[in-house]
Amino acid sequence: MDLLLEEFQESARDWLWELSPEGCLRAPSARIADAFGRPAIELCATPFVECVRGTLPEPSGDGHDALDMLQRALQDAHAFRDLQVPVVVGGERRWWSLTGRRLFDARGGHAGWRGIGTDVTRAKQQAADLATLANFDSLTGLANRHRFQEQMRLSKAPLFKLLYLDLDDFKVINDLHGHHVGDEVLQVVARRFASAVGDGDLLARLGGDEFAVLVHNPQSPTAAEQVARRLIESLAQPVRVADLSLTVGTCVGIVSSRGRERDTHELMRLADMALFAAKAQGRNTYRVFEPEMEDAARRRMGLMADLHAAVAGGQLSLQYQPLVDFGSTRVAGAEALLRWRHPTRGYVPPAEFIPLAEESGLIVEIGRWVLERACETACGWPSHMRVAVNLSAIQFASPTFTDELCVVLEESGLPPHRLELEITESLLIHDQKAAVATLDRLHAMGVRVALDDFGTGYSSLAYLKRFPFDALKIDGAFVRSLDDDGASSAVVRAIVDLARALRMGVTAEGIETPQQFRALRDLGCTEGQGYFCGRPMESDALRSLIAGGPVLVGRHSAA
Ligand code: C2E
Ligand code: MG
Ligand code: MG
């Protein structure tokens, strides 16, 4: 027994103690003296409760509670287990766990106490670290999703507002500059957001580039909107990270708890709808949730469900919009544009249903059908004419895409140089290496590739050097800004010069007036497309248009 005791005494974290019936330490060991940081002789003379009191940190609420419990246990003569006491010994803050039971003499009388003290500092620290991990985001130090939802659930505020936000194009930063830059940007953004929210508001990073703010007890009906504005403004100045100056923006969705059940998931869902609406409106905007947004979401769900039937039931068709060569004013080709005539809803624009097809993955099947149909149709056109087909990022990213394309070309009999694939910048940023590999393969096959909607997205000139394109398509929105903006002409001229240097053609989209047509031709664009040159039409209509010779001269006196 003594041996066992000795071994036990050697264990670094524990010390055995024994109290007299009066509650004073009996023959305290060197380890106890060590633990208390006081000589054994001094400890003997002092009631145990007082010895413990002497080690409590100041101020210490938890400590006094534990001490009260110890005192009561000794007074009332009942056992105690794992009483956790914070202490300061030798200037170091530590935690003890005390467990004890009563001793009885041979006649069953009270003979004192015996127990064990354990240093549980490490376990306490680990528990605290775990709690931090479970509740805080390690990158930014902000509350995490778990804590945010917990705080929302526990909120006693009669009214609160939930702001839900994500960063515009954060993925581009991550992909172009690497994750370490992305992480630093998130840290800077988190600090700016923290200074934009009110003292009582809870800011959290929910994950990735998603943040949220809980505005407790808003002081005015527009308090949450003011916070949203401040959040957006906080990103007005570029974020400087590692010699880079990066433009970061954000959109915010807001929902109020007033008149709603406080189901945290439901509120997040509504805030997300408001965020979706804000993003649809443009960069750096906020929207407050309105019930119509739910209707819009319901319509999206309905359309998504109907899209399956549309594919199977032949409701999809293609129209072709002429691409006109500025030099000869002849139709050099046509862009295939997808049309959906819904049996009850009528015409659904591609800008509405293509994102849904992408979300549901149906775009792969639809895209393949478009390619087959467009190639087949183009075979019936004069041999100098090419067909342009829009590609979705998901199709492009499929590892089997180029193989499938080979099959489509072979089966249709269309020479590869008569097919042009239109891709957008967003498609290049996900996996640049894979994108270059696919583009190279297309190049080797002899298929043309055009960069669509240039001027609306990131318009990174860096892409143009890195990727082998045959043509650039300047977006219609940009073309329209030519009318009222001298700077736009200068930009078009610069794009044309660059494209020429890189041996790329330049197509101007969305040309609606003879003035725009002339301006773009004079600026050096190679081809034009737009209602002025011809609206999207059936293939038969296009064939009769071509049969009429050069389409513009004379018809619109554009020359
Ligand atoms: P996009 O590729 O930039 O196509 C040009 C869009 O501009 C077409 O809209 C066309 O009808 C419209 N447009 C042409 N000329 C004018 C004009 O003078 N003024 C105005 N205001 N608009 C003009 P559409 O057909 O609604 O297509 C919208 C977008 O849907 C397309 O933009 C393209 O991104 C996507 N899309 C269309 N068909 C397909 C497809 O088969 N596959 C994929 N993945 N996307 C497609
Ligand atoms: Mg296009
Ligand atoms: Mg376009």
Side-chain angles (χ1 to χ4, degrees), residues 106 110 142 192 457 475 496:
H110 178 50
L142 298 179
R192 296 214 192 152
D475 192 71
V496 168

Side-chain angles (χ1 to χ4, degrees), residues 321 335-339 347 350-351 354 363 370 390-392 395 422 452-453 480 509-512 530-531 536:
Q321 185 175 30
E335 177 175 4
L337 292 163
L338 196 52
R339 298 291 175 253
Y347 173 70
I354 283 170
I363 193 68
V370 170
N390 293 285
L391 270 200
S392 145
Q395 285 174 277
E422 294 193 2
D452 204 355
D453 303 341
R480 275 189 289 287
E509 290 185 78
I511 302 177
E512 294 184 347
Y531 296 166

